[in-house]
Amino acid sequence: MRTILVFGLCFCSFGCDSGAPEGAGGPAKRIAFVTNGAADFWVLARIGVEDAAEKYGVEASFHMPTGGVADQKRILEDLLVKGVDGIAVSPIDPRNQTEFLDGVAARTKLITHDSDAPDSKRICFIGVDNYDGGRLCGEIVQEALPDGGKIAIFVGRMEQDNARRRRQGVIDQILGRDPDPDRFDPADGVIEGNGFTIVGTYTDQMDTAKAKANVEDALSRHGDLDGMVGLFAYNAPAILEVLAQSGKTGRVKVIGFDEADETLAGIEAGIVEGTVVQDPYGYGYRSIEILAGLTSVSGAPTSRPASFVHIPARAIRKAEVVAFRADLAKKLGKE
């Protein structure tokens, strides 16, 4: 029996009858998984949460804030009031949330996933090295545009640690720089080097309508764009939609991040050069597994995790896309 409770787009509470088991030590541990927004990317993470909750006999809740930092803070405060035993969160604005997250960590077991808050008192971070993932993405850009060219970058929020590091990895790779995860090129200017011109970085605050408007704006301002790089899951699909509407499909190279179905279909069709994928299922599963261990659930790993639980990213090009989509369908139960 699965013990998942879903919040954000649909609502419940820990007071609902979830069928959560009670072990010899009393009621099941209550663990929460909080995303940084509502997006299809999190579907696989929810399945991972469900599977781990079932395996370890914990009561898990899944939350997708739809109102940015304020909504995420409200969810976390509500969870603390309910007395949860552990929380896994993807911080939206880690630099400005650190003090608040430290307060959460003082009251429950706190870990981060997907996007880190490295200066907080969280126990560990589960995810990819986003700077390295960005460099992988940059390699696909270089393959698509071996002689360089004009490109635009699209991303949700620059406040998030994953977005900042991911973008910087792309830039450093295509400009031929030595690795430096702490480097930061301002997002409001043109960046040039190694035959490339990055005309701008467009942010959308995870608003898909704004994401499409940004693509339209970039095409209007820069009719000679050679490539577009979408760094959040919905960015490449937004790029594809606008290019199709403007009759420019295939004329601008598209490079994505994450495994949105439209992006993968675009790779198969030859209109997306490639994408870098994470493992959201692993984020969900490992978050619940680690928190189960930290809260002394019988059968869960008992050793304290490393501060960075690395789940590697990988690049998906046309040669890998069919096998990758088949594996994805299996995880989603759509075989």
Side-chain angles (χ1 to χ4, degrees):
M1 178 171 13
R2 299 215 169 173
T3 57
I4 188 77
L5 305 175
V6 182
F7 297 71
L9 297 182
C10 55
F11 300 89
C12 187
S13 74
F14 279 112
C16 296
D17 179 12
S18 67
E22 292 193 13
K29 296 294 186 179
R30 299 186 296 175
I31 296 171
F33 186 93
V34 183
T35 75
N36 54 32
D40 289 344
F41 172 81
W42 296 111
V43 172
L44 274 170
R46 192 165 90 185
I47 294 172
V49 168
E50 292 176 352
D51 287 349
E54 182 176 27
K55 177 175 179 179
Y56 294 109
V58 300
E59 183 179 316
S61 60
F62 189 94
H63 309 255
M64 290 193 291
T66 57
V69 173
D71 195 29
Q72 188 178 70
K73 181 181 180 183
R74 177 193 61 77
I75 289 170
L76 293 171
E77 288 174 335
D78 187 54
L79 290 168
L80 291 175
V81 170
K82 288 180 168 67
V84 295
D85 300 290
I87 297 174
V89 63
S90 178
I92 292 172
D93 186 0
R95 293 181 181 178
N96 291 314
Q97 287 179 288
T98 295
E99 184 177 355
F100 172 72
L101 291 173
D102 286 349
V104 175
R107 297 174 62 183
T108 192
K109 304 293 186 185
L110 179 70
I111 66 175
T112 57
H113 63 84
D114 178 56
S115 185
D116 196 14
D119 295 327
S120 73
K121 294 178 181 177
R122 53 80 172 147
I123 295 168
C124 69
F125 165 60
I126 301 170
V128 304
D129 184 315
N130 278 282
Y131 180 79
D132 288 348
R135 292 198 75 115
L136 274 179
C137 190
E139 289 177 6
I140 301 174
V141 176
Q142 290 174 309
E143 293 167 10
L145 298 168
D147 298 319
K150 282 189 176 182
I151 69 168
I153 296 175
F154 303 87
V155 69
R157 306 182 182 102
M158 286 305 298
E159 296 91 343
Q160 288 181 205
D161 184 73
N162 60 344
R164 181 186 63 78
R165 291 170 62 89
R166 195 175 296 175
R167 169 184 174 271
Q168 196 62 48
V170 172
I171 294 170
D172 288 355
Q173 179 65 34
I174 66 174
L175 266 59
R177 295 170 170 171
D178 291 333
D180 182 0
D182 295 324
R183 185 184 289 120
F184 180 72
D185 287 285
D188 57 356
V190 175
I191 304 168
E192 296 181 279
N194 204 29
F196 285 95
T197 299
I198 302 168
V199 300
T201 297
Y202 295 77
T203 59
D204 52 60
Q205 299 303 308
M206 297 184 76
D207 180 335
T208 54
K210 176 64 173 174
K212 287 187 281 188
N214 282 345
V215 179
E216 292 167 352
D217 182 52
L219 287 174
S220 175
R221 292 173 181 269
H222 308 282
D224 57 347
L225 274 179
D226 299 294
M228 292 184 165
V229 182
L231 292 181
F232 275 16
Y234 57 83
N235 285 128
I239 292 168
L240 290 172
E241 184 176 340
V242 173
L243 289 178
Q245 291 170 349
S246 60
K248 294 186 177 181
T249 298
R251 291 169 55 185
V252 179
K253 303 292 186 181
V254 180
I255 298 90
F257 211 102
D258 294 324
E259 60 274 17
D261 191 62
E262 300 92 334
T263 303
L264 298 175
I267 296 173
E268 281 197 75
I271 57 174
V272 175
E273 301 302 309
T275 190
V276 174
V277 298
Q278 305 178 74
D279 181 6
Y281 176 91
Y283 295 175
Y285 191 96
R286 291 287 284 140
S287 290
I288 302 306
E289 181 176 61
I290 286 171
L291 285 170
L294 289 169
T295 54
S296 303
V297 170
S298 177
T302 56
S303 59
R304 189 176 179 86
S307 61
F308 177 23
V309 180
H310 188 209
I311 299 180
R314 56 186 287 220
I316 303 296
R317 301 172 176 83
K318 195 162 188 177
E320 298 91 13
V321 71
V322 172
F324 180 77
R325 291 189 86 185
D327 179 65
L328 202 58
K330 181 177 179 181
K331 288 178 178 174
L332 289 168
K334 297 180 179 179
E335 299 165 283

